[in-house]
Amino acid sequence: GVIRDHNEDSAFADPEGDFFIVADGMGGHAAGEVASIMAVEAVTAALQEAREELAQFARAPRDQGRRALVSALENAVRHAHQSVYQRGAAETDKQGMGTTLDVVLVAGSEAFVAHVGDSRTYLVRDRRAAQITTDHTVAEVLVIEGKLSIEEAQISPLRTILVNAIGVAPDVGVEMAHVRLRTGDRLLVCSDGLHDYFPLEQEVSDYISENDPEQALNKMITVAKNRGGHDNITGIVLEVLEVPPAAAPGPD
């Protein structure tokens, strides 16, 4: 962004294309940066240990393997939460630190998403964007309860107050999503420093659909900065170049 003097976002794109992570940290004295780095490192380590499960599922997608991957992904996020929470409790200058966390795990023709906080994951397909995660904020809770309209929530100061985050409270809620991928699909994983400046999903679609992934992301970051750049800006754009042929599911 153009205002913050240090970066509390962290991200990781697996060189083998198996998983992608964005985390947006919070907390004073650079504790947010520590939280986001810890979360990314913990999830990365856990998912690297699950590569054989990923490969097996890609070769022969079965319900049992699908459940195992969902469990591995959720456990990785919960392990990251405990690591951040315990360090925040143990070190005075890190008390209350936390982070958002979005993880996309790709296995064969399927993607599994784990989400905590108000970073977002979008699916862009056939020139239409759809947010596939829910913002874990006070404003979003009020929208769900019918007390705020979507338009009111987009400008409400309550949109920045998290009700769920990695490392802040003893427990954490992990939102899970599943996408069956198609050739040409793109996924955008980003912190609120980016998506705050693109309230219309159609605008997200226009940028992501009309440019190659790197160019799309660069253009969106430039627009976010020009529109205020109030926060750190982090994003990853994934493109599905080819979906593996569907394997016949075997018995579980």
Side-chain angles (χ1 to χ4, degrees), residues 19-21 36 70 84-85 87 99 111 124 126 129 160 164 168-169 182 189 202 207 213 223 241:
F19 55 92
F20 306 84
I21 311 169
S36 66
V70 169
V84 175
Y85 179 72
R87 184 165 177 185
T99 183
V124 181
D126 298 331
T160 64
N164 186 41
V168 175
R182 301 179 187 173
V189 191
Q202 185 57 52
Y207 278 96
V223 171
L241 299 177

Side-chain angles (χ1 to χ4, degrees), residues 12-234:
F12 180 77
D14 175 39
E16 297 184 33
D18 288 340
F19 55 92
F20 306 84
I21 311 169
V22 168
D24 179 359
M26 69 204 79
H29 305 292
E33 180 180 355
V34 172
S36 66
I37 290 172
M38 286 183 66
V40 169
E41 289 179 346
V43 171
T44 297
L47 294 183
Q48 284 175 338
E49 294 181 0
R51 287 197 194 274
E52 183 54 37
E53 290 177 81
L54 283 168
Q56 288 178 358
F57 180 81
R59 289 192 297 267
R62 301 171 179 172
D63 282 344
Q64 181 179 358
R66 192 172 288 112
R67 289 192 295 269
L69 289 182
V70 169
S71 179
L73 179 55
E74 183 173 356
N75 287 341
V77 172
R78 292 192 179 279
H79 173 66
H81 168 74
Q82 287 301 322
S83 297
V84 175
Y85 179 72
Q86 289 169 9
R87 184 165 177 185
E91 299 181 24
T92 304
D93 63 337
K94 308 269 188 319
Q95 286 182 359
M97 74 174 179
T99 183
T100 72
L101 187 62
D102 270 44
V103 187
V104 176
L105 180 67
V106 179
S109 62
E110 302 180 37
F112 303 87
V113 181
H115 164 74
V116 179
D118 66 349
S119 294
R120 290 181 182 176
T121 299
Y122 293 86
L123 171 66
V124 181
R125 172 181 290 168
D126 298 331
R127 302 186 66 82
R128 296 185 64 182
Q131 182 183 335
I132 58 177
T133 53
T134 305
D135 294 347
H136 296 166
T137 63
V138 173
E140 185 66 22
V141 170
L142 295 176
V143 169
I144 293 170
E145 294 177 347
K147 297 175 181 177
L148 273 183
S149 68
I150 294 174
E151 293 74 21
E152 289 170 336
Q154 288 174 345
I155 60 173
S156 170
L158 300 177
R159 77 186 190 284
T160 64
I161 302 175
L162 296 178
V163 296
N164 186 41
I166 295 289
V168 175
D171 197 13
V172 68
V174 182
E175 179 182 329
M176 304 294 294
H178 174 247
V179 180
R180 293 188 181 274
L181 299 171
R182 301 179 187 173
T183 299
D185 282 353
R186 291 183 177 181
L187 292 166
L188 169 65
V189 191
C190 62
S191 63
D192 64 339
L194 186 66
H195 71 66
D196 266 0
Y197 292 105
F198 296 89
L200 301 179
E201 289 183 345
Q202 185 57 52
E203 193 175 18
V204 173
S205 173
D206 289 345
Y207 278 96
I208 298 298
S209 301
E210 295 175 4
N211 304 278
D212 67 59
E214 183 176 1
Q215 186 181 46
L217 193 55
N218 286 337
K219 286 186 174 183
M220 291 183 75
I221 289 171
T222 298
V223 171
K225 288 181 178 179
N226 290 339
R227 291 177 177 176
H230 76 285
D231 201 351
N232 301 144
I233 304 170
T234 301

